[in-house]
Amino acid sequence: MTKDVEMKELHAPSNSASSTAPSTLQHLKEIASLLETGAYAREVRRVVRAVRLTIAVRRKLKAPVLYAFLNFSLVTGSDAHTRLCSYLPKEDELDMEVDSATSAVHTTAKHSLPELEIFCYLLVLIFLIDHKRYDEAKACASASIARVKNLNRRTVDVLASRLYFYYSYSYELTGDLAEIRGNLLALHRIATLRHDELGQETLLNLLLRNYLHYNLYDQAEKLRSKAPRFEAHSNQQFCRYLFYLGKVRTIQLEYTDAKESLLQAARKAPVAARGFRVQCNKWAIIVRLLLGEIPERTVFMQKGMKKALRPYFELTNAVRIGDLELFRTVAEKFTGTFSSDRTHNLIVRLRHNVIRTGLRNISISYSRISLIDVAKKLRLDSTNPVADAESIVAKAIRDGAIDATVDHANGWMVSKETGDVYSTNEPQFAFNSRIAFCLNMHNEAVRALRFPPNSHKKEKESAEKRRERQQQEQELAKHIAEEDDDEF
């Protein structure tokens, strides 16, 4: 087995444009060497590792470093080299010449591997997006996608999945997401024919995001239901899929399934993906309120989420109390937040739950109460509050929300005496749901276990292989915490 390249920083030459440029360039060269090794050995795990290592270098990318790396990786004068260099800023030409001369000292060899070419496209695309050069990013992304279509190599699939993401992201930043929907569908079809499962995962999520961005929930559900299903390869993409599935289920009034998907997405998401987990929790809170549940206070007090979830905490408090006036006040106070989160239409649905909760509290507190007082306590603002209160009480009795009767002659609501809940089947149902949750979590944990290849063979491990395995495990543990933070 080819030994992995060790990551070592070199001291910067005195004639470099900046002190960090040679170190960053050296890191990129080592990542390129890792890509080259993975391409020749056809080991996808080395390509995955190279993509992870790129995350640490992303914030240090500069135009002179990229220009030097392009000269190192691509043949000068080739179509890819000329096109990628044209996207870099022109005002840094002098620094580029300095760095390219420095890189020529290290090596004069040129590579023509497709993996290195796609990696160069990925680096330049990330650089353009980080520097908010969105028009150039769109052009670079389109050129990279055209190149990827002609490559059918398993070692390219990992890099291609990242390009698909930034391709969609660059168009989303400029508000032109609808333009690429046809291209994404064509790419998904190509990935399916090539059995590129990671590409299928990524493109399916991008298509769902595209549809949901324009509130096309029916089309999103049709695509999701007919897309081929297989075992998830990327935890990030699986979390995304669960989040989009939860949103679709919520709009379709399938609250139980939506709650399960949203909570699972929030639980599986990396700790560093705070923004994604905040969105999952916002939608999960609304879905639980629509189901008649009250989320625990600890949900709103999670580290780093207290401020973002403050509007939903006040909304939950209004629903818990059953105060319709307080509910209106909170909805008007945070209408901007709810509109930006695209949960405003769901909050309109909560009005009925607020009324039902208030009516349940009234039923518990009073054995007999007039419908006029019920209307006053619920703060109904209609032309005929007594008639509305009567219909609300009758509907709540029919749905089983309260155990009472309506005396139409005297205009009363008479509550029945509360019995022992332990004499019913409610404890059994609650216990069964908890057991099912624990068993489901255990099964998911077992399916998520990963084992090294050929672990069933009882071969003695040599010292060199042991050192290589330990080094890989240490690097994986180091980079797994910051794995693809930008995806969320």
Side-chain angles (χ1 to χ4, degrees):
M1 182 182 296
T2 306
K3 187 175 181 179
D4 292 346
V5 179
E6 296 181 356
M7 301 292 290
K8 298 179 181 179
E9 292 186 0
L10 298 180
H11 296 288
S14 57
N15 63 341
S16 62
S18 65
S19 60
T20 60
S23 176
T24 305
L25 180 60
Q26 182 63 24
H27 277 290
L28 290 176
K29 289 181 179 179
E30 291 168 350
I31 294 173
S33 178
L34 187 60
L35 279 172
E36 185 179 1
T37 305
Y40 285 127
R42 296 182 180 180
E43 294 184 354
V44 179
R45 65 181 182 87
R46 293 185 184 272
V47 182
V48 174
R49 192 163 150 226
V51 174
R52 286 175 180 164
L53 293 175
T54 310
I55 301 169
V57 187
R58 175 175 182 172
R59 296 179 180 86
K60 302 177 184 179
L61 290 179
K62 296 182 180 178
V65 178
L66 285 176
Y67 193 89
F69 182 71
L70 293 179
N71 289 335
F72 166 77
S73 301
L74 303 176
V75 178
T76 305
S78 63
D79 293 340
H81 182 273
T82 305
R83 185 181 296 109
L84 290 175
C85 289
S86 65
Y87 298 130
L88 298 178
K90 302 298 182 183
E91 59 269 14
D92 294 324
E93 285 181 353
L94 180 61
D95 293 335
M96 293 176 189
E97 294 175 1
V98 174
D99 280 341
S100 61
T102 304
S103 63
V105 176
H106 294 280
T107 180
T108 58
K110 299 297 179 181
H111 306 276
S112 58
L113 282 175
E115 287 79 6
L116 281 179
E117 182 182 346
I118 299 302
F119 182 66
C120 291
Y121 272 109
L122 180 61
L123 287 177
V124 174
L125 181 56
I126 292 174
F127 172 80
L128 293 174
I129 291 177
D130 289 345
H131 288 75
K132 299 182 180 181
R133 303 169 66 93
Y134 299 137
D135 292 333
E136 292 90 339
K138 287 167 61 177
C140 180
S142 300
S144 65
I145 293 301
R147 181 71 178 96
V148 166
K149 286 182 179 179
N150 299 323
L151 299 174
N152 186 11
R153 296 161 65 101
R154 299 288 72 81
T155 50
V156 176
D157 292 345
V158 179
L159 297 170
S161 66
R162 304 300 301 135
L163 278 180
Y164 297 149
F165 170 78
Y166 287 112
Y167 173 59
S168 177
Y169 186 52
S170 61
Y171 277 82
E172 183 178 355
L173 291 172
T174 56
D176 302 325
L177 203 55
E179 295 181 7
I180 62 171
R181 190 178 302 154
N183 291 336
L184 292 177
L185 287 169
L187 289 170
H188 186 269
R189 182 169 59 252
I190 293 173
T192 304
L193 294 175
R194 292 176 177 176
H195 301 286
D196 176 12
E197 295 186 349
L198 181 58
Q200 292 179 61
E201 281 183 342
T202 306
L203 290 166
L204 177 60
N205 286 333
L206 293 177
L207 284 166
L208 291 177
R209 182 180 183 87
N210 197 309
Y211 285 126
L212 297 183
H213 182 77
Y214 295 100
N215 297 324
L216 302 175
Y217 290 93
D218 291 339
Q219 296 185 32
E221 173 59 21
K222 289 179 181 178
L223 172 67
R224 187 209 64 80
S225 61
K226 296 184 178 181
R229 298 298 305 146
F230 42 79
E231 184 180 356
H233 291 264
S234 171
N235 181 62
Q236 287 79 13
Q237 297 301 330
F238 186 52
C239 291
R240 260 223 184 91
Y241 174 78
L242 290 173
F243 176 60
Y244 296 146
L245 178 61
K247 294 178 72 172
V248 172
R249 290 284 185 261
T250 303
I251 298 300
Q252 295 179 337
L253 307 180
E254 300 176 10
Y255 297 136
T256 303
D257 295 338
K259 171 192 168 185
E260 182 180 353
S261 298
L262 292 169
L263 292 179
Q264 190 177 1
R267 188 172 64 250
K268 283 180 171 290
V271 178
R274 183 177 300 171
F276 178 80
R277 292 193 296 120
V278 166
Q279 289 297 320
C280 290
N281 279 283
K282 286 179 178 179
W283 279 76
I285 289 169
I286 297 296
V287 170
R288 294 183 67 180
L289 291 176
L290 288 170
L291 283 170
E293 303 176 7
I294 302 298
E296 301 80 6
R297 183 178 289 266
T298 55
V299 174
F300 305 94
M301 300 301 171
Q302 299 180 62
K303 185 178 180 181
M305 300 186 189
K306 186 175 180 181
K307 183 178 180 181
L309 296 179
R310 182 68 187 179
Y312 295 86
F313 174 74
E314 296 190 16
L315 185 72
T316 302
N317 188 47
V319 176
R320 180 182 62 84
I321 297 173
D323 191 336
L324 197 58
E325 187 64 29
L326 179 60
F327 174 77
R328 293 196 198 98
T329 303
V330 173
E332 293 175 0
K333 179 180 178 182
F334 298 105
T335 182
T337 303
F338 297 144
S339 298
S340 62
D341 293 338
R342 298 193 173 192
T343 56
H344 188 267
N345 292 335
L346 300 177
I347 290 170
V348 173
R349 300 181 188 178
L350 280 175
R351 182 179 182 274
H352 180 68
N353 293 64
V354 176
I355 295 175
R356 177 174 291 188
T357 303
L359 188 60
R360 188 183 298 115
N361 294 336
I362 293 173
S363 175
I364 294 174
S365 302
Y366 297 92
S367 60
R368 187 179 67 180
I369 185 173
S370 66
L371 296 176
I372 298 176
D373 293 336
V374 170
K376 290 180 180 179
K377 289 183 177 295
L378 293 178
R379 299 183 183 183
L380 300 178
D381 54 349
S382 58
T383 56
N384 192 355
V386 178
D388 289 346
E390 185 174 0
S391 62
I392 290 172
V393 170
K395 187 175 187 304
I397 294 173
R398 185 193 66 184
D399 295 342
I402 59 175
D403 191 8
T405 57
V406 179
D407 187 347
H408 298 281
N410 298 318
W412 291 338
M413 182 185 76
V414 181
S415 302
K416 296 182 180 179
E417 186 177 352
T418 304
D420 184 11
V421 69
Y422 290 99
S423 63
T424 65
N425 292 329
E426 288 296 326
Q428 179 184 354
F429 294 149
F431 192 54
N432 182 65
S433 65
R434 295 177 184 179
I435 293 176
F437 174 79
C438 294
L439 290 175
N440 187 33
M441 180 178 291
H442 174 266
N443 293 335
E444 290 176 4
V446 171
R447 284 196 295 265
L449 291 176
R450 295 182 180 180
F451 300 95
N454 300 326
S455 59
H456 60 283
K457 296 182 180 179
K458 304 296 182 180
E459 297 179 358
K460 291 188 177 180
E461 191 176 30
S462 64
E464 182 180 354
K465 290 185 177 180
R466 187 183 304 109
R467 284 195 300 270
E468 180 183 356
R469 178 177 56 80
Q470 292 175 351
Q471 180 186 359
Q472 292 177 5
E473 291 176 354
Q474 290 174 1
E475 291 182 359
L476 178 61
K478 178 181 178 182
H479 295 287
I480 196 69
E482 48 188 43
E483 180 185 9
D484 288 346
D485 293 349
D486 55 311
E487 281 196 2
F488 292 94

